[in-house]
mmCIF file of all heavy atoms in Angstrom:
data_model
loop_
_atom_site.group_PDB
_atom_site.id
_atom_site.type_symbol
_atom_site.label_atom_id
_atom_site.label_comp_id
_atom_site.label_asym_id
_atom_site.label_seq_id
_atom_site.Cartn_x
_atom_site.Cartn_y
_atom_site.Cartn_z
ATOM 1 N N ALA W 20 52.395 -23.947 66.565
ATOM 2 C CA ALA W 20 52.044 -23.116 65.406
ATOM 3 C C ALA W 20 53.241 -22.965 64.473
ATOM 4 O O ALA W 20 53.101 -23.048 63.246
ATOM 5 C CB ALA W 20 51.557 -21.747 65.869
ATOM 6 N N ALA W 21 54.429 -22.797 65.045
ATOM 7 C CA ALA W 21 55.638 -22.655 64.225
ATOM 8 C C ALA W 21 55.955 -23.962 63.511
ATOM 9 O O ALA W 21 56.366 -23.963 62.344
ATOM 10 C CB ALA W 21 56.813 -22.228 65.091
ATOM 11 N N VAL W 22 55.747 -25.083 64.193
ATOM 12 C CA VAL W 22 55.995 -26.382 63.571
ATOM 13 C C VAL W 22 55.020 -26.605 62.422
ATOM 14 O O VAL W 22 55.413 -27.040 61.335
ATOM 15 C CB VAL W 22 55.913 -27.525 64.611
ATOM 16 C CG1 VAL W 22 55.924 -28.883 63.936
ATOM 17 C CG2 VAL W 22 57.048 -27.416 65.603
ATOM 18 N N SER W 23 53.754 -26.297 62.641
ATOM 19 C CA SER W 23 52.752 -26.454 61.575
ATOM 20 C C SER W 23 53.080 -25.576 60.380
ATOM 21 O O SER W 23 53.011 -26.028 59.233
ATOM 22 C CB SER W 23 51.359 -26.102 62.093
ATOM 23 O OG SER W 23 50.974 -26.983 63.102
ATOM 24 N N LEU W 24 53.444 -24.343 60.644
ATOM 25 C CA LEU W 24 53.800 -23.427 59.559
ATOM 26 C C LEU W 24 55.049 -23.903 58.827
ATOM 27 O O LEU W 24 55.097 -23.931 57.599
ATOM 28 C CB LEU W 24 54.009 -22.009 60.103
ATOM 29 C CG LEU W 24 54.403 -20.955 59.063
ATOM 30 C CD1 LEU W 24 53.279 -20.773 58.047
ATOM 31 C CD2 LEU W 24 54.741 -19.651 59.741
ATOM 32 N N GLY W 25 56.060 -24.315 59.579
ATOM 33 C CA GLY W 25 57.297 -24.794 58.971
ATOM 34 C C GLY W 25 57.082 -26.038 58.133
ATOM 35 O O GLY W 25 57.613 -26.165 57.031
ATOM 36 N N LEU W 26 56.279 -26.982 58.638
ATOM 37 C CA LEU W 26 55.993 -28.196 57.875
ATOM 38 C C LEU W 26 55.164 -27.882 56.630
ATOM 39 O O LEU W 26 55.373 -28.473 55.573
ATOM 40 C CB LEU W 26 55.280 -29.221 58.751
ATOM 41 C CG LEU W 26 56.122 -29.855 59.847
ATOM 42 C CD1 LEU W 26 55.288 -30.818 60.684
ATOM 43 C CD2 LEU W 26 57.339 -30.552 59.272
ATOM 44 N N SER W 27 54.239 -26.939 56.742
ATOM 45 C CA SER W 27 53.443 -26.534 55.575
ATOM 46 C C SER W 27 54.332 -25.911 54.505
ATOM 47 O O SER W 27 54.197 -26.221 53.312
ATOM 48 C CB SER W 27 52.355 -25.537 55.986
ATOM 49 O OG SER W 27 51.489 -26.110 56.913
ATOM 50 N N VAL W 28 55.236 -25.047 54.921
ATOM 51 C CA VAL W 28 56.167 -24.425 53.975
ATOM 52 C C VAL W 28 57.051 -25.494 53.336
ATOM 53 O O VAL W 28 57.327 -25.458 52.133
ATOM 54 C CB VAL W 28 57.009 -23.329 54.669
ATOM 55 C CG1 VAL W 28 58.157 -22.869 53.796
ATOM 56 C CG2 VAL W 28 56.124 -22.157 55.057
ATOM 57 N N ALA W 29 57.484 -26.479 54.127
ATOM 58 C CA ALA W 29 58.326 -27.554 53.599
ATOM 59 C C ALA W 29 57.577 -28.384 52.563
ATOM 60 O O ALA W 29 58.135 -28.729 51.511
ATOM 61 C CB ALA W 29 58.816 -28.448 54.734
ATOM 62 N N VAL W 30 56.312 -28.697 52.821
ATOM 63 C CA VAL W 30 55.520 -29.486 51.864
ATOM 64 C C VAL W 30 55.296 -28.696 50.580
ATOM 65 O O VAL W 30 55.494 -29.212 49.475
ATOM 66 C CB VAL W 30 54.178 -29.920 52.492
ATOM 67 C CG1 VAL W 30 53.235 -30.486 51.445
ATOM 68 C CG2 VAL W 30 54.407 -30.938 53.583
ATOM 69 N N VAL W 31 54.907 -27.438 50.707
ATOM 70 C CA VAL W 31 54.653 -26.614 49.516
ATOM 71 C C VAL W 31 55.938 -26.437 48.712
ATOM 72 O O VAL W 31 55.929 -26.568 47.482
ATOM 73 C CB VAL W 31 54.045 -25.250 49.917
ATOM 74 C CG1 VAL W 31 54.018 -24.294 48.743
ATOM 75 C CG2 VAL W 31 52.642 -25.453 50.466
ATOM 76 N N SER W 32 57.057 -26.169 49.376
ATOM 77 C CA SER W 32 58.309 -25.981 48.640
ATOM 78 C C SER W 32 58.752 -27.281 47.978
ATOM 79 O O SER W 32 59.313 -27.265 46.880
ATOM 80 C CB SER W 32 59.407 -25.424 49.541
ATOM 81 O OG SER W 32 59.807 -26.374 50.496
ATOM 82 N N SER W 33 58.459 -28.405 48.605
ATOM 83 C CA SER W 33 58.790 -29.692 47.994
ATOM 84 C C SER W 33 57.956 -29.913 46.733
ATOM 85 O O SER W 33 58.468 -30.381 45.711
ATOM 86 C CB SER W 33 58.550 -30.823 48.997
ATOM 87 O OG SER W 33 58.801 -32.064 48.398
ATOM 88 N N LEU W 34 56.682 -29.572 46.784
ATOM 89 C CA LEU W 34 55.824 -29.717 45.610
ATOM 90 C C LEU W 34 56.248 -28.756 44.499
ATOM 91 O O LEU W 34 56.249 -29.123 43.321
ATOM 92 C CB LEU W 34 54.364 -29.498 45.990
ATOM 93 C CG LEU W 34 53.775 -30.493 46.988
ATOM 94 C CD1 LEU W 34 52.325 -30.164 47.280
ATOM 95 C CD2 LEU W 34 53.928 -31.918 46.523
ATOM 96 N N VAL W 35 56.614 -27.550 44.873
ATOM 97 C CA VAL W 35 57.100 -26.588 43.876
ATOM 98 C C VAL W 35 58.394 -27.091 43.253
ATOM 99 O O VAL W 35 58.565 -27.052 42.031
ATOM 100 C CB VAL W 35 57.284 -25.186 44.510
ATOM 101 C CG1 VAL W 35 58.016 -24.255 43.575
ATOM 102 C CG2 VAL W 35 55.935 -24.600 44.880
ATOM 103 N N ASN W 36 59.307 -27.603 44.086
ATOM 104 C CA ASN W 36 60.564 -28.146 43.555
ATOM 105 C C ASN W 36 60.319 -29.341 42.649
ATOM 106 O O ASN W 36 61.023 -29.535 41.659
ATOM 107 C CB ASN W 36 61.509 -28.538 44.691
ATOM 108 C CG ASN W 36 62.189 -27.350 45.307
ATOM 109 O OD1 ASN W 36 62.391 -26.337 44.658
ATOM 110 N ND2 ASN W 36 62.533 -27.467 46.571
ATOM 111 N N GLY W 37 59.323 -30.156 42.968
ATOM 112 C CA GLY W 37 58.995 -31.304 42.135
ATOM 113 C C GLY W 37 58.453 -30.910 40.768
ATOM 114 O O GLY W 37 58.603 -31.651 39.793
ATOM 115 N N SER W 38 57.840 -29.758 40.697
ATOM 116 C CA SER W 38 57.259 -29.320 39.423
ATOM 117 C C SER W 38 58.257 -28.605 38.514
ATOM 118 O O SER W 38 58.011 -28.466 37.320
ATOM 119 C CB SER W 38 56.078 -28.384 39.691
ATOM 120 O OG SER W 38 56.532 -27.140 40.197
ATOM 121 N N THR W 39 59.383 -28.189 39.044
ATOM 122 C CA THR W 39 60.278 -27.328 38.266
ATOM 123 C C THR W 39 60.843 -28.009 37.035
ATOM 124 O O THR W 39 60.836 -27.430 35.947
ATOM 125 C CB THR W 39 61.445 -26.824 39.139
ATOM 126 O OG1 THR W 39 62.171 -27.937 39.642
ATOM 127 C CG2 THR W 39 60.940 -25.974 40.281
ATOM 128 N N PHE W 40 61.322 -29.241 37.164
ATOM 129 C CA PHE W 40 61.929 -29.903 36.019
ATOM 130 C C PHE W 40 60.891 -30.241 34.959
ATOM 131 O O PHE W 40 61.180 -30.222 33.770
ATOM 132 C CB PHE W 40 62.692 -31.163 36.454
ATOM 133 C CG PHE W 40 63.881 -30.842 37.307
ATOM 134 C CD1 PHE W 40 63.922 -31.211 38.632
ATOM 135 C CD2 PHE W 40 64.960 -30.150 36.774
ATOM 136 C CE1 PHE W 40 65.015 -30.905 39.420
ATOM 137 C CE2 PHE W 40 66.066 -29.834 37.547
ATOM 138 C CZ PHE W 40 66.089 -30.210 38.871
ATOM 139 N N VAL W 41 59.681 -30.540 35.405
ATOM 140 C CA VAL W 41 58.606 -30.820 34.455
ATOM 141 C C VAL W 41 58.277 -29.558 33.658
ATOM 142 O O VAL W 41 58.131 -29.606 32.428
ATOM 143 C CB VAL W 41 57.358 -31.359 35.184
ATOM 144 C CG1 VAL W 41 56.207 -31.562 34.226
ATOM 145 C CG2 VAL W 41 57.690 -32.648 35.916
ATOM 146 N N LEU W 42 58.177 -28.433 34.352
ATOM 147 C CA LEU W 42 57.898 -27.175 33.654
ATOM 148 C C LEU W 42 59.033 -26.798 32.711
ATOM 149 O O LEU W 42 58.787 -26.333 31.588
ATOM 150 C CB LEU W 42 57.654 -26.053 34.667
ATOM 151 C CG LEU W 42 56.369 -26.161 35.474
ATOM 152 C CD1 LEU W 42 56.335 -25.095 36.567
ATOM 153 C CD2 LEU W 42 55.155 -26.046 34.579
ATOM 154 N N GLN W 43 60.254 -26.993 33.147
ATOM 155 C CA GLN W 43 61.388 -26.666 32.282
ATOM 156 C C GLN W 43 61.414 -27.559 31.042
ATOM 157 O O GLN W 43 61.634 -27.084 29.934
ATOM 158 C CB GLN W 43 62.697 -26.768 33.050
ATOM 159 C CG GLN W 43 62.883 -25.641 34.040
ATOM 160 C CD GLN W 43 64.164 -25.763 34.835
ATOM 161 O OE1 GLN W 43 64.623 -26.853 35.138
ATOM 162 N NE2 GLN W 43 64.734 -24.626 35.202
ATOM 163 N N LYS W 44 61.160 -28.842 31.211
ATOM 164 C CA LYS W 44 61.153 -29.737 30.059
ATOM 165 C C LYS W 44 59.999 -29.400 29.123
ATOM 166 O O LYS W 44 60.151 -29.426 27.900
ATOM 167 C CB LYS W 44 61.050 -31.194 30.496
ATOM 168 C CG LYS W 44 61.161 -32.158 29.320
ATOM 169 C CD LYS W 44 61.236 -33.591 29.761
ATOM 170 C CE LYS W 44 61.343 -34.497 28.536
ATOM 171 N NZ LYS W 44 61.383 -35.904 28.916
ATOM 172 N N LYS W 45 58.852 -29.063 29.683
ATOM 173 C CA LYS W 45 57.706 -28.650 28.861
ATOM 174 C C LYS W 45 58.066 -27.411 28.047
ATOM 175 O O LYS W 45 57.734 -27.310 26.865
ATOM 176 C CB LYS W 45 56.496 -28.386 29.760
ATOM 177 C CG LYS W 45 55.255 -27.962 29.042
ATOM 178 C CD LYS W 45 54.622 -29.117 28.339
ATOM 179 C CE LYS W 45 53.267 -28.711 27.792
ATOM 180 N NZ LYS W 45 52.654 -29.778 27.028
ATOM 181 N N GLY W 46 58.773 -26.471 28.667
ATOM 182 C CA GLY W 46 59.210 -25.276 27.951
ATOM 183 C C GLY W 46 60.191 -25.597 26.843
ATOM 184 O O GLY W 46 60.134 -25.026 25.753
ATOM 185 N N ILE W 47 61.099 -26.534 27.095
ATOM 186 C CA ILE W 47 62.072 -26.929 26.065
ATOM 187 C C ILE W 47 61.371 -27.595 24.898
ATOM 188 O O ILE W 47 61.662 -27.311 23.726
ATOM 189 C CB ILE W 47 63.151 -27.851 26.682
ATOM 190 C CG1 ILE W 47 64.035 -27.039 27.626
ATOM 191 C CG2 ILE W 47 63.981 -28.516 25.607
ATOM 192 C CD1 ILE W 47 64.971 -27.879 28.474
ATOM 193 N N VAL W 48 60.411 -28.476 25.195
ATOM 194 C CA VAL W 48 59.670 -29.160 24.131
ATOM 195 C C VAL W 48 58.857 -28.154 23.309
ATOM 196 O O VAL W 48 58.825 -28.226 22.075
ATOM 197 C CB VAL W 48 58.767 -30.265 24.736
ATOM 198 C CG1 VAL W 48 57.799 -30.810 23.711
ATOM 199 C CG2 VAL W 48 59.617 -31.372 25.328
ATOM 200 N N ARG W 49 58.222 -27.208 23.984
ATOM 201 C CA ARG W 49 57.447 -26.177 23.269
ATOM 202 C C ARG W 49 58.343 -25.326 22.377
ATOM 203 O O ARG W 49 58.004 -25.038 21.233
ATOM 204 C CB ARG W 49 56.732 -25.261 24.265
ATOM 205 C CG ARG W 49 55.479 -25.820 24.833
ATOM 206 C CD ARG W 49 54.860 -24.913 25.877
ATOM 207 N NE ARG W 49 55.170 -23.502 25.720
ATOM 208 C CZ ARG W 49 54.289 -22.535 25.908
ATOM 209 N NH1 ARG W 49 53.068 -22.816 26.286
ATOM 210 N NH2 ARG W 49 54.640 -21.274 25.773
ATOM 211 N N ALA W 50 59.495 -24.918 22.910
ATOM 212 C CA ALA W 50 60.413 -24.079 22.131
ATOM 213 C C ALA W 50 60.972 -24.844 20.940
ATOM 214 O O ALA W 50 61.104 -24.290 19.840
ATOM 215 C CB ALA W 50 61.548 -23.571 23.018
ATOM 216 N N ARG W 51 61.287 -26.113 21.125
ATOM 217 C CA ARG W 51 61.799 -26.930 20.026
ATOM 218 C C ARG W 51 60.739 -27.057 18.927
ATOM 219 O O ARG W 51 61.050 -27.011 17.744
ATOM 220 C CB ARG W 51 62.199 -28.310 20.526
ATOM 221 C CG ARG W 51 62.886 -29.151 19.464
ATOM 222 C CD ARG W 51 63.308 -30.507 19.983
ATOM 223 N NE ARG W 51 64.285 -30.363 21.077
ATOM 224 C CZ ARG W 51 64.385 -31.188 22.099
ATOM 225 N NH1 ARG W 51 63.582 -32.222 22.216
ATOM 226 N NH2 ARG W 51 65.304 -30.982 23.018
ATOM 227 N N GLY W 52 59.488 -27.206 19.325
ATOM 228 C CA GLY W 52 58.393 -27.301 18.358
ATOM 229 C C GLY W 52 58.212 -26.014 17.562
ATOM 230 O O GLY W 52 57.819 -26.047 16.394
ATOM 231 N N ARG W 53 58.487 -24.888 18.182
ATOM 232 C CA ARG W 53 58.377 -23.594 17.483
ATOM 233 C C ARG W 53 59.659 -23.238 16.746
ATOM 234 O O ARG W 53 59.683 -22.278 15.983
ATOM 235 C CB ARG W 53 58.070 -22.488 18.496
ATOM 236 C CG ARG W 53 56.681 -22.534 19.061
ATOM 237 C CD ARG W 53 56.351 -21.270 19.844
ATOM 238 N NE ARG W 53 57.474 -20.790 20.638
ATOM 239 C CZ ARG W 53 57.495 -20.738 21.965
ATOM 240 N NH1 ARG W 53 56.454 -21.152 22.644
ATOM 241 N NH2 ARG W 53 58.536 -20.278 22.605
ATOM 242 N N GLY W 54 60.743 -23.954 17.037
ATOM 243 C CA GLY W 54 62.017 -23.655 16.396
ATOM 244 C C GLY W 54 62.736 -22.465 17.003
ATOM 245 O O GLY W 54 63.538 -21.815 16.346
ATOM 246 N N THR W 55 62.463 -22.188 18.278
ATOM 247 C CA THR W 55 63.108 -21.065 18.961
ATOM 248 C C THR W 55 63.923 -21.590 20.146
ATOM 249 O O THR W 55 63.883 -22.768 20.476
ATOM 250 C CB THR W 55 62.061 -20.057 19.492
ATOM 251 O OG1 THR W 55 61.203 -20.715 20.428
ATOM 252 C CG2 THR W 55 61.241 -19.477 18.354
ATOM 253 N N SER W 56 64.619 -20.702 20.793
ATOM 254 C CA SER W 56 65.402 -21.059 21.969
ATOM 255 C C SER W 56 64.469 -21.224 23.168
ATOM 256 O O SER W 56 63.471 -20.505 23.300
ATOM 257 C CB SER W 56 66.423 -19.962 22.264
ATOM 258 O OG SER W 56 67.039 -20.186 23.518
ATOM 259 N N TYR W 57 64.808 -22.150 24.051
ATOM 260 C CA TYR W 57 63.995 -22.332 25.252
ATOM 261 C C TYR W 57 64.059 -21.118 26.163
ATOM 262 O O TYR W 57 63.186 -20.916 27.002
ATOM 263 C CB TYR W 57 64.407 -23.605 26.006
ATOM 264 C CG TYR W 57 65.807 -23.583 26.560
ATOM 265 C CD1 TYR W 57 66.063 -23.064 27.807
ATOM 266 C CD2 TYR W 57 66.872 -24.089 25.825
ATOM 267 C CE1 TYR W 57 67.352 -23.043 28.319
ATOM 268 C CE2 TYR W 57 68.156 -24.086 26.330
ATOM 269 C CZ TYR W 57 68.391 -23.559 27.579
ATOM 270 O OH TYR W 57 69.656 -23.548 28.090
ATOM 271 N N LEU W 58 65.072 -20.286 26.003
ATOM 272 C CA LEU W 58 65.195 -19.088 26.834
ATOM 273 C C LEU W 58 64.099 -18.068 26.543
ATOM 274 O O LEU W 58 63.884 -17.147 27.329
ATOM 275 C CB LEU W 58 66.570 -18.452 26.644
ATOM 276 C CG LEU W 58 67.749 -19.277 27.153
ATOM 277 C CD1 LEU W 58 69.063 -18.630 26.766
ATOM 278 C CD2 LEU W 58 67.659 -19.477 28.648
ATOM 279 N N THR W 59 63.403 -18.233 25.438
ATOM 280 C CA THR W 59 62.311 -17.317 25.098
ATOM 281 C C THR W 59 60.957 -17.865 25.528
ATOM 282 O O THR W 59 59.945 -17.200 25.325
ATOM 283 C CB THR W 59 62.280 -17.059 23.580
ATOM 284 O OG1 THR W 59 62.040 -18.301 22.908
ATOM 285 C CG2 THR W 59 63.578 -16.433 23.101
ATOM 286 N N ASP W 60 60.922 -19.062 26.123
ATOM 287 C CA ASP W 60 59.658 -19.687 26.479
ATOM 288 C C ASP W 60 59.276 -19.363 27.919
ATOM 289 O O ASP W 60 60.068 -19.558 28.843
ATOM 290 C CB ASP W 60 59.754 -21.209 26.292
ATOM 291 C CG ASP W 60 58.405 -21.860 26.371
ATOM 292 O OD1 ASP W 60 57.726 -21.923 25.337
ATOM 293 O OD2 ASP W 60 58.026 -22.294 27.477
ATOM 294 N N ILE W 61 58.035 -18.908 28.097
ATOM 295 C CA ILE W 61 57.560 -18.500 29.418
ATOM 296 C C ILE W 61 57.407 -19.694 30.358
ATOM 297 O O ILE W 61 57.611 -19.568 31.577
ATOM 298 C CB ILE W 61 56.235 -17.705 29.303
ATOM 299 C CG1 ILE W 61 55.848 -17.071 30.638
ATOM 300 C CG2 ILE W 61 55.115 -18.597 28.808
ATOM 301 C CD1 ILE W 61 56.730 -15.939 31.032
ATOM 302 N N VAL W 62 57.098 -20.870 29.828
ATOM 303 C CA VAL W 62 56.946 -22.055 30.680
ATOM 304 C C VAL W 62 58.308 -22.460 31.256
ATOM 305 O O VAL W 62 58.411 -22.817 32.429
ATOM 306 C CB VAL W 62 56.291 -23.219 29.895
ATOM 307 C CG1 VAL W 62 56.236 -24.474 30.748
ATOM 308 C CG2 VAL W 62 54.900 -22.830 29.440
ATOM 309 N N TRP W 63 59.356 -22.395 30.451
ATOM 310 C CA TRP W 63 60.691 -22.722 30.952
ATOM 311 C C TRP W 63 61.085 -21.732 32.048
ATOM 312 O O TRP W 63 61.612 -22.120 33.093
ATOM 313 C CB TRP W 63 61.726 -22.692 29.821
ATOM 314 C CG TRP W 63 63.074 -23.127 30.291
ATOM 315 C CD1 TRP W 63 63.535 -24.401 30.375
ATOM 316 C CD2 TRP W 63 64.133 -22.276 30.772
ATOM 317 N NE1 TRP W 63 64.817 -24.405 30.880
ATOM 318 C CE2 TRP W 63 65.211 -23.117 31.131
ATOM 319 C CE3 TRP W 63 64.276 -20.908 30.929
ATOM 320 C CZ2 TRP W 63 66.402 -22.628 31.635
ATOM 321 C CZ3 TRP W 63 65.467 -20.420 31.446
ATOM 322 C CH2 TRP W 63 66.517 -21.270 31.785
ATOM 323 N N TRP W 64 60.816 -20.454 31.835
ATOM 324 C CA TRP W 64 61.145 -19.447 32.838
ATOM 325 C C TRP W 64 60.318 -19.635 34.109
ATOM 326 O O TRP W 64 60.815 -19.415 35.219
ATOM 327 C CB TRP W 64 60.980 -18.034 32.282
ATOM 328 C CG TRP W 64 62.167 -17.624 31.476
ATOM 329 C CD1 TRP W 64 62.247 -17.526 30.125
ATOM 330 C CD2 TRP W 64 63.467 -17.316 31.978
ATOM 331 N NE1 TRP W 64 63.515 -17.172 29.757
ATOM 332 C CE2 TRP W 64 64.289 -17.027 30.865
ATOM 333 C CE3 TRP W 64 64.021 -17.258 33.255
ATOM 334 C CZ2 TRP W 64 65.619 -16.688 31.007
ATOM 335 C CZ3 TRP W 64 65.356 -16.915 33.385
ATOM 336 C CH2 TRP W 64 66.141 -16.628 32.271
#
Side-chain angles (χ1 to χ4, degrees):
V22 170
S23 297
L24 179 64
L26 290 178
S27 299
V28 169
V30 168
V31 169
S32 69
S33 177
L34 297 180
V35 170
N36 283 332
S38 71
T39 59
F40 294 113
V41 176
L42 291 172
Q43 288 178 327
K44 185 173 180 182
K45 180 74 172 176
I47 290 170
V48 169
R49 280 176 27 140
R51 187 179 298 147
R53 289 191 320 245
T55 61
S56 171
Y57 65 88
L58 293 173
T59 62
D60 192 86
I61 190 71
V62 176
W63 184 86
W64 279 106

